[in-house]
Amino acid sequence: MEVAISTPNIYGRVALAQAMRDVSPDLMDILGAAAALPVDADGQVDDGAAEYEYRFAPLVGIYGGTLEVFRNMIAQYMLGLGKTRYSSPRMAS
Protein backbone atom coordinates (compact mmCIF):
# COMPACT_ATOMS: atom_id res chain seq x y z
CA MET A 1 0.00 0.00 0.00
CA GLU A 2 2.90 2.37 0.76
CA VAL A 3 4.25 1.99 -2.78
CA ALA A 4 0.82 2.78 -4.23
CA ILE A 5 0.52 5.98 -2.19
CA SER A 6 4.02 7.17 -3.07
CA THR A 7 3.50 6.67 -6.82
CA PRO A 8 1.79 9.82 -8.14
CA ASN A 9 0.88 8.65 -11.63
CA ILE A 10 -1.51 6.13 -13.13
CA TYR A 11 0.48 3.19 -11.79
CA GLY A 12 -0.15 4.37 -8.23
CA ARG A 13 -3.88 4.73 -8.81
CA VAL A 14 -4.15 1.17 -10.07
CA ALA A 15 -1.91 -0.20 -7.32
CA LEU A 16 -3.81 1.62 -4.57
CA ALA A 17 -7.23 0.51 -5.80
CA GLN A 18 -6.11 -3.09 -6.20
CA ALA A 19 -4.41 -3.12 -2.79
CA MET A 20 -7.57 -1.82 -1.11
CA ARG A 21 -9.66 -4.48 -2.84
CA ASP A 22 -7.24 -7.22 -1.79
CA VAL A 23 -6.60 -6.14 1.80
CA SER A 24 -9.98 -4.95 3.09
CA PRO A 25 -11.68 -8.38 3.31
CA ASP A 26 -8.64 -9.80 5.10
CA LEU A 27 -8.66 -6.88 7.53
CA MET A 28 -12.31 -7.54 8.37
CA ASP A 29 -11.52 -11.24 8.89
CA ILE A 30 -8.61 -10.46 11.21
CA LEU A 31 -10.62 -8.01 13.32
CA GLY A 32 -13.64 -10.32 13.44
CA ALA A 33 -17.26 -9.47 14.12
CA ALA A 34 -16.35 -6.46 16.27
CA ALA A 35 -15.07 -4.67 13.15
CA ALA A 36 -18.60 -4.54 11.73
CA LEU A 37 -20.03 -2.68 14.73
CA PRO A 38 -21.13 0.93 14.21
CA VAL A 39 -19.02 3.83 15.45
CA ASP A 40 -19.08 4.32 19.25
CA ALA A 41 -20.72 0.93 19.88
CA ASP A 42 -19.68 -1.16 22.87
CA GLY A 43 -17.02 -3.71 21.95
CA GLN A 44 -15.77 -1.93 18.84
CA VAL A 45 -12.07 -2.62 18.16
CA ASP A 46 -11.32 0.45 16.05
CA ASP A 47 -12.95 3.74 15.14
CA GLY A 48 -14.93 2.21 12.28
CA ALA A 49 -12.10 2.59 9.79
CA ALA A 50 -11.94 -1.10 8.84
CA GLU A 51 -15.66 -1.29 8.12
CA TYR A 52 -15.53 1.96 6.13
CA GLU A 53 -12.59 0.72 4.07
CA TYR A 54 -14.36 -2.58 3.43
CA ARG A 55 -17.42 -0.77 2.03
CA PHE A 56 -15.36 1.83 0.15
CA ALA A 57 -12.79 -0.54 -1.44
CA PRO A 58 -14.94 -1.82 -4.35
CA LEU A 59 -15.79 1.77 -5.32
CA VAL A 60 -12.17 2.93 -5.49
CA GLY A 61 -11.74 1.18 -8.83
CA ILE A 62 -14.80 2.94 -10.24
CA TYR A 63 -15.01 6.53 -8.98
CA GLY A 64 -11.93 7.89 -10.78
CA GLY A 65 -12.34 5.65 -13.82
CA THR A 66 -12.48 1.90 -13.81
CA LEU A 67 -9.39 -0.18 -13.16
CA GLU A 68 -9.96 -1.85 -16.51
CA VAL A 69 -9.65 1.52 -18.29
CA PHE A 70 -6.49 2.45 -16.41
CA ARG A 71 -4.92 -0.94 -17.06
CA ASN A 72 -5.68 -0.55 -20.75
CA MET A 73 -4.13 2.93 -20.73
CA ILE A 74 -0.98 1.56 -19.09
CA ALA A 75 -0.79 -1.23 -21.65
CA GLN A 76 -1.42 1.02 -24.63
CA TYR A 77 0.43 4.24 -23.78
CA MET A 78 3.06 3.31 -21.22
CA LEU A 79 4.03 -0.16 -22.42
CA GLY A 80 3.38 0.45 -26.11
CA LEU A 81 1.06 -2.51 -26.58
CA GLY A 82 -1.74 -2.44 -29.13
CA LYS A 83 -5.25 -1.22 -28.52
CA THR A 84 -7.52 -3.68 -26.75
CA ARG A 85 -9.99 -5.40 -29.02
CA TYR A 86 -13.08 -6.55 -27.16
CA SER A 87 -14.88 -8.22 -30.05
CA SER A 88 -13.88 -9.82 -33.29
CA PRO A 89 -15.06 -8.28 -36.53
CA ARG A 90 -17.98 -10.06 -38.17
CA MET A 91 -17.29 -11.68 -41.44
CA ALA A 92 -19.72 -10.96 -44.24
CA SER A 93 -21.35 -14.02 -45.74
Side-chain angles (χ1 to χ4, degrees):
M1 183 91 88
E2 186 176 327
V3 173
I5 293 171
S6 65
T7 307
N9 58 18
I10 195 168
Y11 295 111
R13 182 176 284 188
V14 171
L16 180 62
Q18 192 61 50
M20 283 185 71
R21 286 182 172 189
D22 293 344
V23 170
S24 62
D26 294 335
L27 180 61
M28 290 294 284
D29 286 342
I30 290 169
L31 294 175
L37 293 173
V39 176
D40 296 330
D42 291 336
Q44 187 182 32
V45 294
D46 65 350
D47 60 354
E51 190 264 340
Y52 177 78
E53 183 178 338
Y54 180 75
R55 287 186 293 118
F56 187 64
L59 304 176
V60 172
I62 299 170
Y63 75 86
T66 65
L67 284 176
E68 182 78 18
V69 171
F70 286 124
R71 286 184 175 131
N72 285 339
M73 289 171 62
I74 290 170
Q76 188 174 356
Y77 300 113
M78 308 284 192
L79 301 177
L81 302 175
K83 187 172 180 160
T84 306
R85 181 179 243 171
Y86 290 106
S87 62
S88 60
R90 294 185 175 217
M91 298 182 73
S93 331

